[in-house]
Amino acid sequence: MSSISLLLLLFPILFITFSLFATPSSSAVDTFVFGGCSQLKYAQGTPYESSVNSMLTSLVNSATFTTYNNFTIPSSTSQEALYGLFQCRGDLNNADCGRCVARAVSQLGTICANSCGGALQLEGCFVKYDNTSFLGVEDKTVVVRKCGPSIAYDSDALTRRDALLGYLGAGDGSYKPYRVGGSGDLAGMAQCVGDLSASECQDCLSDAIGRLKTDCGASKWGDMYLAKCYARYSKGGDHSNGGDGKRFRHLVGWWFLVFENNNDEEIEKTLAILIGLIAGVALLIIFLSFLRKVCEGERDGK
């Protein structure tokens, strides 16, 4: 093969490499928070697999029109029932919601391959399916708890933090699944899953906020994710952008995987580096091949 042909083959590799380095990292909406899978598996090619695929497709399609929906595929003589839902963060528009849910479903298919149930929380959306009904069932199990570094005692800051969390947790009897608030350099957010009633939502958020205040103390930021709601706050724009890696957690017959850093971003960086190394090796091989041919030509000319 000529050097020109080798260079032509190399161009796609170089193009992919430079494209990956130029591609921005995943947005905050797509950041992985946690995922969980049921231990029970289904066999490929069964009616249940078809139901799971149909459920996930319905979730993705519906997310382009609304920020919350749930579906039930009833049981039949050949399969058991399947339940599923998605929910997007309250400030996302339909387009961003649709993209978030599509990404969540894609990751769920990898993380929970052949699992009878799975759940995935990204920063911007939540997706869950299972063969056991969970729709309308309140669940205050702690799934993720993260607290930032402690700051020097500041009674004013703590008072304002507690006031902000109190505002997020205040209930007036109306249904408010998504709540945001701020005070100076403090910002907070809380949300419960849309299948809960107003009273269940209020109860879940009150529990999450109470745990957040107790567990995170004087931390600069804090996240508290329960199975059906979450509450978060941050001071001065600081928040969780990384952590001490990943951990596994067994919870009610499910395996939960919690990433405390942006795993997608790290994978993209690693992939770009590997492809860059491959391209570099390919260039070295071409260069050595060219030198060998030059040397052979000089010997033949003597």
Side-chain angles (χ1 to χ4, degrees):
M1 182 181 292
S2 68
S3 297
I4 294 178
S5 298
L6 288 173
L7 284 172
L8 289 175
L9 289 175
L10 182 63
F11 281 148
I13 298 176
L14 292 174
F15 177 78
I16 293 173
T17 302
F18 292 133
S19 296
L20 284 173
F21 277 115
T23 301
S25 61
S26 300
S27 67
V29 172
D30 293 336
T31 301
F32 189 104
V33 178
F34 70 82
C37 314
S38 65
Q39 296 181 5
L40 186 63
K41 302 286 186 178
Y42 61 80
Q44 293 185 346
T46 60
Y48 191 81
E49 179 183 29
S50 177
S51 293
V52 170
N53 292 334
S54 176
M55 172 66 71
L56 296 180
T57 299
S58 296
L59 296 178
V60 172
N61 291 340
S62 181
T64 60
F65 302 102
T66 181
T67 56
Y68 167 79
N69 207 350
N70 67 74
F71 297 89
T72 299
I73 298 178
S75 61
S76 66
T77 55
S78 60
Q79 67 181 43
E80 53 191 320
L82 182 63
Y83 311 88
L85 64 76
F86 75 88
Q87 174 162 289
C88 290
R89 204 173 65 203
D91 61 339
L92 295 189
N93 57 39
N94 289 340
D96 289 337
C97 178
R99 283 191 288 268
C100 186
V101 171
R103 186 172 182 86
V105 166
S106 175
Q107 294 186 17
L108 196 58
T110 300
I111 295 171
C112 298
N114 300 330
S115 291
C116 289
L120 186 72
Q121 175 76 60
L122 302 183
E123 287 280 349
C125 60
F126 174 69
V127 173
K128 181 175 181 177
Y129 71 93
D130 201 2
N131 59 350
T132 300
S133 179
F134 58 88
L135 300 176
V137 178
E138 186 177 4
D139 187 349
K140 297 188 289 184
T141 305
V142 177
V143 180
V144 175
R145 177 183 58 215
K146 295 195 292 182
C147 302
S150 296
I151 56 177
Y153 181 76
D154 184 339
S155 60
D156 177 64
L158 288 176
T159 298
R160 289 191 297 116
R161 193 279 307 269
D162 290 346
L164 171 60
L165 293 179
Y167 169 77
L168 295 177
D172 57 6
S174 63
Y175 181 58
K176 296 189 296 184
Y178 177 69
R179 309 171 185 185
V180 292
S183 173
D185 59 351
L186 283 170
M189 178 192 308
Q191 185 172 21
C192 55
V193 180
D195 64 323
L196 298 183
S197 66
S199 61
E200 291 170 335
C201 175
Q202 183 61 41
D203 183 52
C204 188
L205 289 180
S206 296
D207 196 77
I209 290 170
R211 289 174 180 267
L212 191 59
K213 292 169 63 175
T214 301
D215 293 1
C216 289
S219 297
K220 203 168 187 180
W221 55 263
D223 294 348
M224 184 64 65
Y225 282 84
L226 307 187
K228 280 294 184 78
C229 67
Y230 67 84
R232 317 174 69 182
Y233 76 89
S234 62
K235 183 178 186 297
D238 291 335
H239 211 272
S240 173
N241 293 315
D244 55 2
K246 57 186 178 182
R247 64 182 181 272
F248 289 92
R249 176 180 300 163
H250 183 240
L251 179 63
V252 195
W254 285 44
W255 283 107
F256 268 82
L257 172 62
V258 181
F259 279 82
E260 293 183 345
N261 58 357
N262 190 336
N263 187 58
D264 292 332
E265 184 176 348
E266 295 302 319
I267 291 175
E268 290 175 358
K269 290 179 180 178
T270 302
L271 183 60
I273 293 172
L274 288 175
I275 294 180
L277 290 174
I278 293 172
V281 171
L283 281 173
L284 180 60
I285 292 173
I286 292 174
F287 179 69
L288 293 176
S289 176
F290 175 76
L291 287 180
R292 182 177 61 82
K293 290 183 178 182
V294 170
C295 291
E296 290 177 350
E298 290 178 350
R299 285 199 301 268
D300 294 340
K302 289 182 180 180

